[in-house]
Amino acid sequence: MTALDNNNYFLGRQPIIGRDGELIAYELLFRSGTINVANVLDDVSASAAVIQYAFSDLGIQKVLGEKRGFINLSSELLMNDIIEVLPRELVVLEILETISITPAVIHRCQQLKGLGYLLALDDIVELTRDHETILPLISVVKIDMLAISKAKVIEIKSKLQSYTCSLLAEKVSTPEQYEFCRELGFDMFQGYFFERPTILYGKSIQPSTMVLLNLLSLILSDAETDQLEDALKQSPDLAIRLLKMINTAMLRAPNKISTLREAIIRMGRIQLSRWIQIMVFAQQSGTNKLSSNPIVHTAAARGYIMEGLAKKLGWMTLKDRAFMVGMLSLMDALFAQPLADLIEHLNLDDSLQSALLIRDGKLGTLLSLVEANEHGNINSMNRFMESLEPVNYDLLNRLQIEALEWADSF
């Protein structure tokens, strides 16, 4: 295997959603890159090297949590024993559309299936006789929604009825495409519609969430502790939950917190603000587990990554604001309302509003870089990192893994 010219890698991640909008897996996108070169020079060596790098050195299990990771395989990588280092219980091996279905490829897929790996066919736009020879070995068929008509999708779906594979609609970009595929009986969905991510249906803000938003506004306006306590008392269920969360976070403290006032004082306003932001997302998503909702999970991870980038850049006075910008940047997706309308009531200063609404200033640049990393946009990442030295792919990769582990810990 040819060695790469540098040791910089980054990990792209795209959520794969189930029929009820729940997060069930990720596609992991491995690439190499340098600050001055935007394209990937050697897909095979980059993928193989990063598989070793990520799984051996960083521990990709932390990135996936309880979910599976879909991994693209070129023909060379499919036939290479290196992929057998991947934990079979955590991955789905994607056979790229560029791979010719030869007897050797079928034999290799039989080997991998025998070892317990799940196999997927990627970017299907037509079912050929070659596909029919390998379909008995396939667990997931990914259909490219951008490349074919609805009639063709129905035709492919009909041909697959005699097989036991699950259907995944990829490159889903609109609510109409999602509903069309869901009604056809697709099992999984992936694409820009989720990657942004965009909420699948409108949501009204729950009363207890309004209490949290009001509390967050009070913290940002430097309100007195008595005002914060009174606001939190308006929602006893959230007050109890907050006490539990804070006590859990302070397991090593000699004395447990028993009152809301003690919690506010002991936690400090910055940390309290972060907990409230997380609770806003968890409350509105209807779940206490961040990892079960891709929007909530991504928002928490964004905050962590942006804070880590600010620290690396020496922007210590901005690190807490960086966390907040990352968290709040997905409120529009969570509430299905314009971001400008939502932040209007949060009393944010002009720099935070500019970062969130037009990606302006230092924090706006950090947010743009994090978004480009999520989307795997190499050109944009290179452009932003040129002005953010010493930020590089290795740092982003490590921060992303730490962020996802941190988010999962909730």
Side-chain angles (χ1 to χ4, degrees):
M1 183 178 68
T2 304
L4 294 175
D5 294 335
N6 57 68
N7 293 320
N8 293 322
Y9 309 100
F10 70 92
L11 175 65
R13 223 183 45 146
Q14 187 178 45
I16 294 174
I17 309 301
R19 287 183 57 81
D20 296 322
E22 75 279 17
L23 174 65
I24 60 175
Y26 297 104
E27 179 167 0
L28 301 182
L29 306 169
F30 297 111
R31 296 183 177 89
S32 66
T34 64
I35 295 298
N36 297 318
V37 180
N39 62 316
V40 177
L41 301 178
D42 185 340
D43 282 332
V44 178
S45 353
S47 295
V50 176
I51 287 173
Q52 290 180 316
Y53 171 77
F55 277 84
S56 299
D57 299 337
L58 297 179
I60 207 69
Q61 294 90 339
K62 296 178 181 179
V63 174
L64 296 174
E66 300 174 354
K67 314 304 178 185
R68 282 188 181 266
F70 282 62
I71 298 176
N72 292 330
L73 299 182
S74 62
S75 178
E76 293 86 349
L77 202 54
L78 173 66
M79 307 304 289
N80 197 310
D81 290 343
I82 190 176
I83 62 174
E84 294 177 24
V85 304
L86 302 175
R88 67 202 70 182
E89 69 278 4
L90 286 179
V91 299
V92 178
L93 305 177
E94 289 192 41
I95 301 171
L96 293 177
E97 70 280 5
T98 54
I99 296 179
S100 298
I101 310 300
T102 64
V105 166
I106 293 175
H107 178 67
R108 177 58 171 154
C109 289
Q110 289 172 335
Q111 286 181 325
L112 292 170
K113 187 176 179 65
L115 291 172
Y117 287 99
L118 298 183
L119 303 174
L121 285 179
D122 191 32
D123 284 340
I124 293 299
V125 296
E126 181 73 71
L127 284 180
T128 66
R129 289 185 178 179
D130 287 342
H131 287 134
E132 292 175 3
T133 62
I134 200 172
L135 275 171
L137 303 172
I138 299 301
S139 297
V140 180
V141 174
K142 302 181 69 175
I143 296 179
D144 187 343
M145 294 302 300
L146 285 184
I148 56 178
S149 65
K150 289 184 178 180
K152 177 60 72 173
V153 174
I154 294 172
E155 177 188 324
I156 294 174
K157 169 70 166 56
S158 177
K159 289 182 178 180
L160 290 171
Q161 285 181 347
S162 58
Y163 299 94
T164 58
C165 51
S166 299
L167 293 182
L168 189 156
E170 63 177 339
K171 302 178 184 176
V172 176
S173 57
T174 67
E176 292 75 22
Q177 284 181 332
Y178 167 72
E179 290 298 338
F180 169 73
C181 293
R182 195 173 186 279
E183 289 177 4
L184 271 184
F186 276 65
D187 306 290
M188 293 173 277
F189 311 87
Q190 176 184 1
Y192 185 78
F193 180 55
F194 308 101
E195 183 185 31
R196 167 63 181 89
T198 303
I199 199 69
L200 302 184
Y201 50 90
K203 285 190 176 183
S204 60
I205 301 179
Q206 302 172 18
S208 51
T209 304
M210 287 300 298
V211 173
L212 289 171
L213 290 174
N214 178 54
L215 188 58
L216 182 59
S217 178
L218 289 172
I219 292 174
L220 295 174
S221 62
D222 201 26
E224 297 294 331
T225 301
D226 290 343
Q227 292 177 274
L228 300 180
E229 186 177 13
D230 289 340
L232 192 54
K233 286 178 179 178
Q234 295 176 29
S235 185
D237 61 321
L238 294 179
I240 293 171
R241 188 180 305 167
L242 184 64
L243 284 174
K244 288 181 178 178
M245 292 170 70
I246 293 176
N247 278 322
T248 300
M250 295 185 168
L251 289 176
R252 297 181 181 178
N255 299 313
K256 291 288 186 179
I257 294 172
S258 57
T259 69
L260 290 176
R261 185 176 183 83
E262 288 177 13
I264 294 169
I265 295 173
R266 181 88 65 86
M267 196 70 170
R269 294 186 177 229
I270 291 175
Q271 292 300 323
L272 180 60
S273 172
R274 293 181 180 184
W275 282 103
I276 291 172
Q277 291 174 65
I278 292 168
M279 288 178 69
V280 166
F281 278 75
Q283 178 73 16
Q284 185 64 15
S285 68
T287 177
N288 293 329
K289 187 176 181 183
L290 298 184
S291 61
S292 64
N293 186 305
I295 299 173
V296 178
H297 200 267
T298 301
R302 274 191 189 183
Y304 185 100
I305 293 170
M306 287 192 60
E307 180 185 36
L309 290 172
K311 289 178 180 178
K312 182 67 176 180
L313 289 162
W315 301 349
M316 301 309 291
T317 58
L318 292 179
K319 63 183 180 67
D320 298 316
R321 292 176 171 230
F323 182 94
M324 182 173 292
V325 168
M327 279 286 294
L328 298 182
S329 64
L330 285 171
M331 285 186 69
D332 56 339
L334 183 67
F335 292 103
Q337 295 181 27
L339 185 60
D341 293 347
L342 291 167
I343 66 175
E344 180 181 353
H345 305 290
L346 294 182
N347 197 34
L348 300 179
D349 67 28
D350 291 342
S351 65
L352 294 185
Q353 292 193 45
S354 296
L356 287 164
L357 297 178
I358 60 175
R359 305 299 187 263
D360 188 35
K362 292 181 177 180
L363 297 180
T365 301
L366 284 189
L367 179 57
S368 296
L369 172 60
V370 171
E371 290 174 323
N373 184 40
E374 290 173 7
H375 299 161
N377 190 327
I378 304 174
N379 289 328
S380 295
M381 292 178 69
N382 289 333
R383 185 173 71 254
F384 293 127
M385 285 194 291
E386 285 178 357
S387 62
L388 294 172
E389 192 176 353
V391 173
N392 55 35
Y393 293 117
D394 183 67
L395 174 64
L396 279 171
N397 208 21
R398 291 181 182 277
L399 281 176
Q400 182 171 331
I401 289 173
E402 291 175 9
L404 297 172
E405 182 182 14
W406 176 79
D408 280 335
S409 70
F410 289 107

